[in-house]
Amino acid sequence: MTAPSDKPPNDQDKQGQSLWGGRFSDKPDALMQAINVSIGVDRKLAAQDLAGSRAHARMLIDQGVIGAEDGELILRGLDAIEGEMAAGEFPFRDEFEDIHMNIEARLSELIGPASGRLHTARSRNDQVAVDFRLWVREACDHTLAQLHALQQALLAKAEAHADAIMPGFTHLQPAQPVTFGHHLMAYVEMFGRDASRFTDARIRMNESPLGAAALAGSPFPIDRHATAKALGFDRPTANSLDSVSARDFALEALSAASICATHLSRMAEEIVIWSTPQFGFIRLSDAFTTGSSIMPQKRNPDAAELVRAKTGRIFGALTSLTLVMKGLPLAYSKDMQEDKPPTFEAFEALDLGLAAMTGMVADMTPDTARMAAAAGAGFSTATDLADWLVRTLNVPFRQAHHITGAAVKRAEALGVDLPGLPLSELQALEPGITDGVYAVLTPAASVASRSSYGGAAPDQVRAQIKRWKDLLA
């Protein structure tokens, strides 16, 4: 496809001015060009810009706003541009400022004057708004798929270790025994809530601003419902001012990303702790660890540490965009050009974090013997003694708590754990205690007794695994 010789009066003159119209006679200062140009960032919106332009062009044809011949020429030109981009041959140029003007300028080169009709009844304001919504919506969809993959990896590992006993902690101190499967299922729940937040955000953002034009709508007989449907939106936005000025859809997505990153960071921290020789609960293979340049014995959990660190970048993106938007009057301001860099960066970091965590979960090998040995440390079955006093001897819980505390103190003095405390010592604290109490003082018995809904008992863990498998199916 070659450009005809009869260029329209407002065709690009390589100075980056003519697409703005006749108001400007001089090209921008070099500094103005440097601060204003965004093509290095918003070229990521190329696919979305082409999709929005196709939907707009087809609607203009259907509504009789532009002729079918010009409309088809525009659509063929957009196809040609898409082909150039796929082949890596599209000439991205800084002098055309952003992705919209780059595509429009190239369309003009390919098809001539007909290209000028594409921008009828739209503005770069609604154009970038629809492009950015499409991008963020796709990012949410991709994140949802990644979250489901991570949950599947966690479910598989949890199912394989539903009865592998390990210490449960509060304040990172031994609290009560749980199972490795139960611990992993806690993250399945967290990432499930993350998925629901992205789903909710997607529902709210799924309205099309295309057709709001600069800020006030269009005098042309456009069909905004048609373009919304063509782009997969549920409906068009209902207020033209809000359409071009809203970025809360991105803020909400970044909020969901930040919470998700918090969960990733918490799990990453546990992987770092569990993989230390002091804990030794899990081992990561060479695929997710690195060595040291000076200490040959080291196996560093760098993947987990980097997942933990990327949380800061995602939090920073949310803060950055919040501060960009906080003082802007309606409708569009150029400040909003700064909406995309933090959003792109945040979802890139989240993408890597989710992928790395999914890989680590599948890769890690738990040392079940080490975890089981640690499960009884720190008098972790003390609550089981108190519960036994309540169930068997009808002792009020606060009194049972006091007796158990005294038993722990006596066991510490004798240098034994609770199962090793002689019956005579227990009976000195509460004469009604029998040797039947020892049946509840092992970590295995403690875990098996936690059979309330959502508890750590292996049967409960397997029930939750089944529930999640059904939900994800």
Side-chain angles (χ1 to χ4, degrees):
M1 188 177 295
T2 58
S5 58
D6 54 332
K7 291 186 177 182
N10 69 335
D11 194 33
Q12 272 293 346
D13 61 3
K14 306 298 184 181
Q15 302 300 318
Q17 290 296 309
S18 59
L19 288 178
W20 299 349
R23 172 65 178 85
F24 292 84
S25 57
D26 294 326
K27 65 181 181 180
D29 182 83
L31 182 58
M32 178 61 195
Q33 180 73 359
I35 197 172
N36 193 48
V37 69
S38 64
I39 186 59
V41 173
D42 60 29
R43 63 193 296 168
K44 286 181 179 288
L45 299 176
Q48 292 78 17
D49 200 72
L50 287 170
S53 291
R54 283 195 184 95
H56 187 67
R58 290 188 179 109
M59 180 275 294
L60 293 178
I61 297 168
D62 291 343
Q63 293 298 109
V65 176
I66 65 175
E69 184 177 348
D70 283 342
E72 291 302 321
L73 195 58
I74 288 170
L75 290 171
R76 289 199 299 273
L78 294 173
D79 288 344
I81 290 171
E82 183 177 54
E84 290 180 340
M85 289 180 173
E89 298 171 353
F90 183 83
F92 291 102
R93 288 172 284 190
D94 285 354
E95 64 264 30
F96 296 142
E97 185 180 328
D98 57 29
I99 188 62
H100 323 298
M101 292 174 69
N102 263 266
I103 289 177
E104 186 171 341
R106 182 60 178 152
L107 187 64
S108 176
E109 292 171 353
L110 292 173
I111 70 171
S115 65
R117 300 191 183 280
L118 175 59
H119 211 54
T120 307
R122 75 172 183 182
S123 160
R124 279 193 296 174
N125 293 356
D126 63 336
Q127 196 175 352
V128 70
V130 74
D131 289 0
F132 196 31
R133 277 194 195 233
L134 287 170
W135 191 95
V136 175
R137 188 180 73 182
E138 290 168 17
C140 288
D141 290 343
H142 179 67
T143 302
L144 279 167
Q146 287 189 298
L147 282 166
H148 291 159
L150 175 53
Q151 288 180 293
Q152 295 283 10
L154 286 164
L155 286 170
K157 195 69 70 172
E159 187 169 33
H161 301 284
D163 54 2
I165 296 168
M166 70 173 290
F169 300 92
T170 61
H171 309 278
L172 204 56
Q173 300 296 313
Q176 294 175 337
V178 294
T179 72
F180 190 55
H182 188 59
H183 197 117
L184 295 180
M185 288 302 295
Y187 285 102
V188 173
E189 295 289 336
M190 290 186 205
F191 295 125
R193 292 192 297 275
D194 289 327
S196 70
R197 275 183 280 271
F198 282 108
T199 299
D200 289 346
R202 191 194 193 284
I203 290 170
R204 270 182 291 279
M205 77 176 66
N206 205 35
E207 297 181 343
S208 173
L210 189 58
L215 77 162
S218 172
F220 294 93
I222 61 173
D223 185 348
R224 294 190 62 212
H225 288 85
T227 51
K229 183 178 179 181
L231 293 170
F233 290 107
D234 294 329
R235 63 191 69 84
T237 50
N239 182 281
S240 59
L241 286 168
D242 179 56
S243 300
V244 299
S245 62
R247 293 297 185 270
D248 55 341
F249 64 90
L251 286 171
E252 188 171 7
L254 289 174
S255 297
S258 295
I259 297 171
C260 181
T262 303
H263 294 155
L264 286 171
S265 184
R266 294 183 72 179
M267 188 167 192
E269 172 70 2
E270 295 207 292
I271 289 174
V272 170
I273 292 171
W274 290 346
S275 62
T276 61
Q278 289 77 14
F279 272 74
F281 286 179
I282 66 165
R283 180 180 176 87
L284 292 170
S285 76
D286 293 350
F288 289 94
T289 55
T290 64
S292 165
S293 64
I294 189 172
M295 296 167 284
Q297 83 280 10
K298 295 293 293 298
R299 178 184 288 272
N300 300 322
D302 283 8
E305 292 171 1
L306 288 167
V307 168
R308 186 176 59 186
K310 287 187 183 298
T311 306
R313 295 173 67 183
I314 297 169
F315 284 4
L318 173 60
T319 301
S320 175
L321 183 53
T322 302
L323 291 174
V324 166
M325 297 303 300
K326 74 172 184 65
L328 297 187
L330 296 180
Y332 182 85
S333 297
K334 194 68 171 183
D335 310 51
M336 291 162 69
Q337 182 169 290
E338 295 299 314
D339 56 1
K340 288 168 281 297
T343 305
F344 293 162
E345 182 179 13
F347 276 98
E348 179 182 353
L350 185 61
D351 174 70
L352 283 170
L354 285 166
M357 185 58 71
T358 303
M360 283 187 288
V361 168
D363 179 76
M364 65 184 179
T365 302
D367 187 334
T368 54
R370 182 75 174 259
M371 289 192 293
F379 307 102
S380 66
T381 58
T383 308
D384 297 280
L385 172 56
D387 290 342
W388 185 89
L389 291 169
V390 172
R391 289 196 313 270
T392 306
L393 303 183
N394 200 29
V395 176
F397 181 80
R398 283 302 171 200
Q399 183 182 345
H401 186 281
H402 180 78
I403 294 167
T404 300
V408 168
K409 184 176 181 180
R410 186 59 181 154
E412 282 183 318
L414 296 175
V416 298
D417 55 16
L418 279 179
L421 193 63
L423 181 61
S424 60
E425 295 286 349
L426 289 169
Q427 289 177 334
L429 300 171
E430 168 51 58
I433 295 177
T434 69
D435 60 3
V437 73
Y438 292 104
V440 304
L441 296 183
T442 65
S446 175
V447 168
S449 72
R450 308 293 167 178
S451 57
S452 57
Y453 181 82
D459 286 348
Q460 277 296 317
V461 175
R462 292 188 179 96
Q464 294 304 322
I465 291 170
K466 182 182 184 304
R467 179 177 72 88
W468 270 106
K469 280 186 171 182
D470 291 342
L471 286 171
L472 293 176

Short mmCIF file of all heavy atoms in Angstrom, two decimals, residues 11 40 45 63-64 71 101 108 112-113 116 127 138 264 324 327 369 394 430 439 449:
data_model
loop_
_atom_site.label_atom_id
_atom_site.label_comp_id
_atom_site.label_asym_id
_atom_site.label_seq_id
_atom_site.Cartn_x
_atom_site.Cartn_y
_atom_site.Cartn_z
N ASP A 11 -1.68 17.05 6.93
CA ASP A 11 -0.87 15.83 7.02
C ASP A 11 0.41 16.11 7.79
O ASP A 11 0.87 17.25 7.85
CB ASP A 11 -0.54 15.33 5.61
CG ASP A 11 0.00 13.90 5.63
OD1 ASP A 11 -0.43 13.12 6.51
OD2 ASP A 11 0.85 13.60 4.77
N GLY A 40 7.70 6.21 24.18
CA GLY A 40 8.54 5.16 24.76
C GLY A 40 7.80 4.32 25.77
O GLY A 40 8.15 3.16 26.01
N LEU A 45 0.49 0.32 24.44
CA LEU A 45 -0.94 0.38 24.17
C LEU A 45 -1.26 0.21 22.69
O LEU A 45 -2.41 0.44 22.29
CB LEU A 45 -1.51 1.72 24.65
CG LEU A 45 -1.39 2.02 26.15
CD1 LEU A 45 -1.92 3.42 26.44
CD2 LEU A 45 -2.15 0.99 26.98
N GLN A 63 -22.99 4.09 11.13
CA GLN A 63 -23.84 5.25 11.43
C GLN A 63 -23.89 6.25 10.28
O GLN A 63 -24.60 7.25 10.37
CB GLN A 63 -23.32 5.95 12.69
CG GLN A 63 -23.45 5.14 13.98
CD GLN A 63 -24.88 4.82 14.33
OE1 GLN A 63 -25.29 3.66 14.22
NE2 GLN A 63 -25.65 5.81 14.71
N GLY A 64 -23.15 5.96 9.22
CA GLY A 64 -23.15 6.87 8.08
C GLY A 64 -22.39 8.15 8.33
O GLY A 64 -22.53 9.13 7.57
N GLY A 71 -14.08 4.24 5.00
CA GLY A 71 -14.03 3.40 6.19
C GLY A 71 -13.27 2.11 5.95
O GLY A 71 -12.45 1.69 6.79
N MET A 101 -0.84 9.35 17.91
CA MET A 101 -0.36 10.15 16.79
C MET A 101 0.60 9.34 15.90
O MET A 101 0.65 9.56 14.68
CB MET A 101 0.32 11.42 17.30
CG MET A 101 -0.68 12.38 17.94
SD MET A 101 0.08 13.83 18.71
CE MET A 101 0.65 14.72 17.26
N SER A 108 -1.87 7.86 7.76
CA SER A 108 -1.88 8.89 6.72
C SER A 108 -0.88 8.57 5.62
O SER A 108 -1.16 8.75 4.42
CB SER A 108 -1.56 10.25 7.34
OG SER A 108 -1.47 11.24 6.35
N GLY A 112 -3.39 7.97 2.85
CA GLY A 112 -3.66 9.32 2.39
C GLY A 112 -4.80 10.01 3.11
O GLY A 112 -5.05 9.74 4.29
N PRO A 113 -5.53 10.92 2.41
CA PRO A 113 -6.52 11.79 3.06
C PRO A 113 -7.60 11.06 3.84
O PRO A 113 -8.13 11.60 4.82
CB PRO A 113 -7.12 12.57 1.88
CG PRO A 113 -6.08 12.53 0.82
CD PRO A 113 -5.40 11.20 0.98
N GLY A 116 -7.68 10.96 7.74
CA GLY A 116 -8.15 12.07 8.56
C GLY A 116 -9.57 11.90 9.06
O GLY A 116 -9.99 12.62 9.98
N GLN A 127 -9.67 8.46 23.60
CA GLN A 127 -8.88 7.40 22.96
C GLN A 127 -7.93 6.77 23.97
O GLN A 127 -7.86 5.54 24.11
CB GLN A 127 -8.10 8.01 21.79
CG GLN A 127 -7.54 7.00 20.81
CD GLN A 127 -6.88 7.68 19.61
OE1 GLN A 127 -6.97 8.90 19.43
NE2 GLN A 127 -6.23 6.89 18.79
N GLU A 138 -7.02 -6.28 30.61
CA GLU A 138 -6.25 -7.45 30.19
C GLU A 138 -5.23 -7.85 31.26
O GLU A 138 -4.99 -9.05 31.50
CB GLU A 138 -5.55 -7.17 28.87
CG GLU A 138 -6.51 -7.07 27.69
CD GLU A 138 -5.85 -6.51 26.44
OE1 GLU A 138 -4.61 -6.49 26.38
OE2 GLU A 138 -6.59 -6.08 25.53
N LEU A 264 2.12 -12.30 48.61
CA LEU A 264 3.31 -12.92 48.03
C LEU A 264 4.53 -12.70 48.92
O LEU A 264 5.35 -13.60 49.12
CB LEU A 264 3.57 -12.35 46.64
CG LEU A 264 2.65 -12.79 45.51
CD1 LEU A 264 2.92 -11.95 44.26
CD2 LEU A 264 2.82 -14.27 45.20
N VAL A 324 -0.59 11.54 41.65
CA VAL A 324 -0.85 12.20 40.36
C VAL A 324 -2.29 12.67 40.29
O VAL A 324 -2.59 13.79 39.84
CB VAL A 324 -0.54 11.25 39.19
CG1 VAL A 324 -1.11 11.79 37.88
CG2 VAL A 324 0.97 11.04 39.05
N GLY A 327 -5.17 15.93 43.02
CA GLY A 327 -5.59 17.33 42.96
C GLY A 327 -6.05 17.80 41.60
O GLY A 327 -6.07 19.01 41.35
N ALA A 369 10.16 -34.96 58.28
CA ALA A 369 10.70 -35.44 59.55
C ALA A 369 11.17 -34.27 60.41
O ALA A 369 10.93 -34.24 61.63
CB ALA A 369 11.84 -36.42 59.28
N ASN A 394 -14.11 -31.07 83.75
CA ASN A 394 -15.07 -29.96 83.86
C ASN A 394 -14.48 -28.76 84.61
O ASN A 394 -15.17 -28.05 85.34
CB ASN A 394 -16.37 -30.40 84.54
CG ASN A 394 -17.52 -29.45 84.24
OD1 ASN A 394 -17.56 -28.81 83.20
ND2 ASN A 394 -18.45 -29.35 85.18
N GLU A 430 -3.21 -30.79 89.87
CA GLU A 430 -4.64 -31.09 89.80
C GLU A 430 -4.81 -32.59 90.07
O GLU A 430 -4.49 -33.42 89.21
CB GLU A 430 -5.22 -30.72 88.44
CG GLU A 430 -6.61 -31.25 88.15
CD GLU A 430 -7.61 -30.93 89.26
OE1 GLU A 430 -7.80 -29.74 89.57
OE2 GLU A 430 -8.17 -31.89 89.83
N ALA A 439 -2.52 -39.08 76.13
CA ALA A 439 -2.98 -39.39 74.77
C ALA A 439 -3.22 -38.13 73.94
O ALA A 439 -3.25 -38.19 72.71
CB ALA A 439 -4.26 -40.22 74.83
N SER A 449 -7.21 -33.54 66.69
CA SER A 449 -8.35 -33.05 67.48
C SER A 449 -8.93 -31.75 66.93
O SER A 449 -10.05 -31.38 67.27
CB SER A 449 -7.93 -32.83 68.94
OG SER A 449 -7.07 -31.70 69.06
#
